[in-house]
Amino acid sequence: MKNNLDSANSLGEIRKLAEKYPTIEEEVLDSVEPVRSNGKIKNLKVFNPATEGEIFDLRREILKIDQDIKVTDSTQQDIKKRKLFVSFLNDHCKIAQYIFSGKTSCHVCKKPRLSNEMFERLYHLPDPEPLNCDKYKSFDQLHVYGKPTSEKYRPSLVGKPSSEHGLPFSPSSQYAKNVEMVVLCSDCDKPRVLYSKKVVRGVRRTQLSNCLTDIQYTCGFSFDELDLEEETHVLKTVFLRKNITCNCTIELTYYSAGFEDVCFFCGTDELEPAEAGDEDEAKKYYPLCTGCKDNGKKLVERRTRNKFNPK
Ligand SMILES: [Zn+2]
Ligand SMILES: [Zn+2]
Ligand SMILES: [Zn+2]
């Protein structure tokens, strides 16, 4: 058994092993050293993982909201398809990048334990607001509790993307084709293109996809932030644009490299179908989904190569 685990190189492989050998889960939990604060993170608090029983109880509650929800619905895109659950979240919760708070009552929720009087005075948590250039207001300084606030001062929205793409070469569709792989942002679910000057095939390709399952990528992250000791590590030759945030559209090179069509604005593959007879016209534009169209997003014309500007 131990040997099996030793040969597993990624979380994905360990998961597969655990499906075959039920005792693996315990072995892994036993072997993981407790997280230690490295001094840089002061207020780090370690929580125990949820138990099987707790997960079961949560699932039973969720099924009361939407009976269609499956155990395999694990991504934001999966959840978006569960209409009842989404409308429950919209009625009950405030969902922001750093905040999730809920309040209201209905057939699923139990009656609040607080007195009515106190419950009425509870509001959703306010969004962050700046005090000055490098500090945010404390809760007491906010004076907006109970009033609507917006996410516009959220650090990742205020923070300008790096002005440089950060690649040692230009991120072209040719270099994207050398990798033929994208990575999904864990915040916005958009696919982001991987670039390499040399073709990544065979063992290095396997090594790359194993590494990617272990990394929780968010837009703007670059592999050089990782502590890679091995000089020949595959992540030292594969790059992502640094000058990208979750607000950015899909990269143009994504389309020119020939990846599967996804919405230009949000990255979903559930696209607005072209009207019959209009297919050729539709090809002139980057793909658009129904949701983005309904939100007022306009079609963007595809960049075409011409002889004066070969790329
Ligand atoms: Zn409710
Ligand atoms: Zn993102
Ligand atoms: Zn969209």
Side-chain angles (χ1 to χ4, degrees):
M1 189 74 70
K2 178 87 172 41
N3 292 334
N4 271 333
L5 255 186
D6 283 346
S7 64
N9 288 319
S10 69
L11 262 183
E13 285 180 21
I14 293 174
R15 260 186 225 121
K16 268 186 215 144
L17 272 180
E19 280 168 20
K20 263 206 231 159
Y21 309 103
T23 55
I24 290 238
E25 184 180 339
E26 219 182 296
E27 281 188 49
V28 171
L29 287 178
D30 285 347
S31 68
V32 177
E33 274 185 66
V35 182
R36 267 168 293 170
S37 165
N38 62 5
K40 280 187 206 145
I41 310 166
K42 270 194 211 123
N43 298 317
L44 187 73
K45 200 170 167 189
V46 182
F47 292 89
N48 293 323
T51 63
E52 287 281 325
E54 284 164 343
I55 294 172
F56 181 84
D57 288 346
L58 174 68
R59 199 174 136 61
R60 199 180 45 202
E61 292 300 311
I62 289 174
L63 284 175
K64 282 188 203 163
I65 303 166
D66 190 336
Q67 300 204 343
D68 292 334
I69 287 213
K70 305 264 182 314
V71 188
T72 49
D73 290 339
S74 56
T75 68
Q76 284 187 36
Q77 296 287 359
D78 294 335
I79 296 296
K80 270 186 209 154
K81 290 176 200 151
R82 307 296 173 202
K83 296 272 149 52
L84 279 172
F85 190 69
V86 170
S87 78
F88 177 88
L89 285 181
N90 290 340
D91 287 351
H92 286 65
C93 310
K94 167 172 171 163
I95 304 171
Q97 192 73 11
Y98 306 122
I99 303 168
F100 181 90
S101 74
K103 184 203 173 185
T104 194
S105 46
C106 73
H107 73 286
V108 182
C109 307
K110 292 186 184 127
K111 215 179 147 300
R113 268 176 287 182
L114 284 174
S115 69
N116 250 342
E117 200 190 21
M118 275 174 96
F119 188 71
E120 289 303 317
R121 277 190 283 132
L122 280 182
Y123 303 101
H124 287 303
L125 289 168
D127 294 287
E129 277 185 12
L131 180 66
N132 54 33
C133 290
D134 50 21
K135 263 205 158 130
Y136 279 94
K137 289 180 186 170
S138 70
F139 184 78
D140 294 329
Q141 288 167 322
L142 268 169
H143 303 301
V144 286
Y145 186 51
K147 296 189 191 113
T149 53
S150 95
E151 280 199 279
K152 66 180 171 203
Y153 298 114
R154 182 180 114 195
S156 47
L157 291 182
V158 174
K160 286 194 211 95
S162 158
S163 60
E164 305 275 322
H165 56 61
L167 275 72
F169 48 85
S170 155
S172 70
S173 59
Q174 187 50 51
Y175 293 143
K177 283 179 188 164
N178 283 344
V179 193
E180 275 186 327
M181 228 187 264
V182 291
V183 57
L184 292 184
C185 169
S186 58
D187 275 350
C188 69
D189 278 344
K190 285 176 201 159
R192 297 305 188 197
V193 179
L194 295 164
Y195 303 90
S196 165
K197 208 155 186 184
K198 284 192 189 149
V199 178
V200 183
R201 293 286 177 272
V203 190
R204 288 182 76 72
R205 199 176 167 77
T206 317
Q207 201 184 21
L208 175 62
S209 60
N210 283 341
C211 290
L212 293 177
T213 38
D214 288 346
I215 292 173
Q216 200 179 21
Y217 168 78
T218 48
C219 297
F221 177 80
S222 137
F223 297 138
D224 58 26
E225 290 170 45
L226 297 171
D227 236 350
L228 302 168
E229 283 167 17
E230 229 181 295
E231 261 325 297
T232 56
H233 199 287
V234 66
L235 292 186
K236 291 209 165 164
T237 58
V238 173
F239 300 85
L240 288 146
R241 280 172 197 270
K242 272 190 202 173
N243 55 349
I244 210 161
T245 66
C246 291
N247 284 343
C248 299
T249 61
I250 303 295
E251 291 150 90
L252 302 186
T253 43
Y254 175 92
Y255 300 98
S256 44
F259 290 108
E260 175 207 19
D261 266 359
V262 295
C263 174
F264 185 64
F265 295 100
C266 71
T268 176
D269 57 0
E270 284 163 22
L271 300 170
E272 173 87 354
E275 278 165 43
D278 273 354
E279 288 89 354
D280 283 344
E281 178 68 14
K283 279 189 196 127
K284 287 187 195 161
Y285 303 94
Y286 289 111
L288 182 67
C289 76
T290 313
C292 287
K293 192 183 168 196
D294 292 348
N295 282 334
K297 293 276 193 274
K298 298 271 176 285
L299 285 166
V300 176
E301 225 172 307
R302 279 185 197 256
R303 185 179 62 173
T304 47
R305 291 171 216 171
N306 59 45
K307 56 184 168 185
F308 303 110
N309 185 19
K311 252 257 151 124

